[in-house]
Amino acid sequence: MSSTEPTELRRTALDAVHRALGATMTDFAGWDMPLRYGSERDEHLAVRNRAGLFDLSHMGEITVTGADAAAFLNHALVGDIASVGVGRARYTMICQADGGILDDLIVYRLADTEYLVVANASNAQVVLDALTERAAGFDAEVRDDRDAYALIAVQGPQSPGILKSLTDADLDGLKYYAGLPGTVAGVPALIARTGYTGEDGFELFVRPEHAAALWQALTEAGEGAGLVPCGLSCRDTLRLEAGMPLYGHELTTSLTPFDAGLGRVVKFGKEGDFVGREALAEAAARAEQNPPRVLVGLVAEGRRVPRAGYSVVAGGEVIGEVTSGAPSPTLGKPIAMAYVDAAYAAPGTEGVGVDIRGTHEPYQVVALPFYRRQK
């Protein structure tokens, strides 16, 4: 095949379901994924107020097993993975030797010597390659399990009730960032109380051949609760309102976790050395001495929507850059996340604008997240 020929998009086990539902499909990280089924605003509000159903089978699952699995992951990642209890999960990052962020991850500890690492779709191969390379010298196996899983998420305040009707797993005892094996609608699943929407919800890891049956069962169980299928478009506005970073926007290889305001995920106190430790220690010291640009929220005073890459301005000078922007269905106004100079990062800072095609539109600086669910 010549390099000019397009490569065929990968399709999830739910591809036929999405098409039958009339989804608008899009290329996302080499996968043909549902962008929306109808109105992305309606899908967004369904998740905030009721429940939404997502196909996340494009995410990259990597299994790590072996006697040294914990020690290996402590070496390969910036977090203290060895301290994660069986049945729990942790948000962490994998960094380059220079401290730049390769990806942000969720790591589930399934057993004493077995972990499930979930990478972003766009970085799955990069993470797999880095872990494989870093496993040298450890009694640990890194296995590409991307084809072994489909991933379905049910998110929103009605999600616990919907899922309870289909499983006898102890959902009430399942804490946030925890997972347990169970059966949902007769389908074996890893049931995780995780998500990317700012709402309570669950992510269900199942075998691809079981995905369509589980989707249908969840759809039927959620009919009375207002559950709707949701695409990637509302997933993006949901995570933006919740102040959750997206790789390639708020996180890149040119930023360290300290530059991104996420230095808390780096655990210098854990046993042993880890990739990027020296560079990250320097980045931490640098951030303390001379604060880097700070990730803040911006709320529009007008109606024009900021987009990634737009300049943030004050007093005629560029003081930052928008990383993500969209209309907020919950706030009813355009919002953005942006890195700005520390002097302009305090909530309520006045005189800040976004350069939208030559016009400096006024924006209010606010603390993240824009939206926090009621517990």
Side-chain angles (χ1 to χ4, degrees):
M1 184 195 298
S2 77
S3 59
T4 56
E5 286 183 38
T7 53
E8 193 170 333
L9 294 178
R10 298 185 69 181
R11 296 185 173 191
T12 77
L14 292 164
D15 184 74
V17 173
H18 302 318
R19 292 173 194 281
L21 290 168
T24 299
M25 306 296 285
T26 188
D27 175 356
F28 186 85
W31 290 83
D32 206 14
M33 297 296 294
L35 186 65
R36 70 181 75 82
Y37 298 86
S39 157
E40 53 204 48
R41 181 178 181 278
D42 289 349
E43 292 171 21
H44 179 112
L45 293 175
V47 176
R48 285 279 176 258
N49 300 308
R50 302 184 303 279
L53 192 59
F54 295 84
D55 178 10
L56 305 180
S57 302
H58 59 312
M59 300 295 281
E61 294 88 3
I62 300 163
T63 300
V64 176
T65 56
D68 290 346
F72 157 61
L73 287 171
N74 263 16
H75 164 73
L77 310 179
V78 301
D80 186 358
I81 309 304
S83 68
V84 178
V86 174
R88 298 308 301 266
R90 182 154 298 166
Y91 176 79
T92 187
M93 294 182 184
I94 182 168
C95 289
Q96 300 176 149
D98 67 1
I101 302 166
L102 279 174
D103 201 13
D104 60 336
L105 313 164
I106 295 181
V107 180
Y108 300 87
R109 189 169 195 168
L110 305 182
D112 277 342
T113 58
E114 182 180 5
Y115 294 83
L116 180 65
V117 178
V118 181
N120 285 296
S122 55
N123 293 329
Q125 190 63 50
V126 169
V127 173
L128 178 68
D129 292 345
L131 288 177
T132 301
E133 183 183 320
R134 295 175 188 188
F138 290 92
D139 180 5
E141 182 196 351
V142 176
R143 187 172 73 233
D144 180 0
D145 268 350
R146 283 176 286 179
D147 292 335
Y149 289 102
L151 178 56
I152 295 174
V154 55
Q155 298 278 304
Q158 297 294 328
S159 58
I162 292 167
L163 204 55
K164 278 179 187 176
S165 71
L166 297 173
T167 183
D168 57 5
D170 179 17
L171 298 186
D172 290 336
L174 188 64
K175 294 184 172 68
Y176 187 50
Y177 266 72
L180 82 170
T183 302
V184 182
V187 171
L190 169 63
I191 305 168
R193 201 162 205 156
T194 45
Y196 196 54
T197 62
E199 298 298 338
D200 192 10
F202 302 87
E203 294 181 320
L204 308 172
F205 295 84
V206 299
R207 292 200 58 79
E209 59 267 26
H210 296 147
L214 179 56
W215 180 280
Q216 184 60 32
L218 287 163
T219 298
E220 291 172 3
E223 276 176 355
L227 176 104
V228 301
C230 294
L232 292 180
S233 185
C234 85
R235 180 171 154 86
D236 190 47
T237 52
L238 289 160
R239 70 91 195 167
L240 176 55
E241 287 184 352
M244 294 175 166
L246 177 64
Y247 195 88
H249 289 255
E250 288 72 41
L251 309 175
T252 68
T253 52
S254 64
L255 296 172
T256 71
F258 295 94
D259 297 323
L262 291 166
R264 64 181 181 276
V265 305
V266 182
K267 303 301 182 187
F268 292 113
K270 63 180 176 177
E271 280 187 38
D273 196 12
F274 61 92
V275 176
R277 182 188 190 112
E278 192 175 317
L280 289 168
E282 290 173 8
R286 203 164 52 240
E288 206 163 298
Q289 295 288 320
N290 182 24
R293 283 184 164 177
V294 179
L295 188 65
V296 300
L298 298 174
V299 177
E301 293 181 18
R303 309 304 304 171
R304 298 185 74 185
V305 179
R307 299 296 182 191
Y310 286 10
S311 295
V312 182
V313 293
E317 300 291 320
V318 174
I319 54 126
E321 184 175 303
V322 171
T323 53
S324 297
S328 165
T330 304
L331 276 63
K333 298 177 180 179
I335 60 172
M337 287 199 281
Y339 282 110
V340 302
D341 293 345
Y344 297 89
T349 300
E350 295 184 352
V352 172
V354 175
D355 186 339
I356 301 181
R357 299 185 187 88
T359 304
H360 292 183
E361 297 286 337
Y363 274 75
Q364 181 184 0
V365 178
V366 300
L368 292 170
F370 300 96
Y371 166 85
R372 199 184 300 272
R373 73 180 172 95
Q374 301 300 309
K375 300 286 184 181

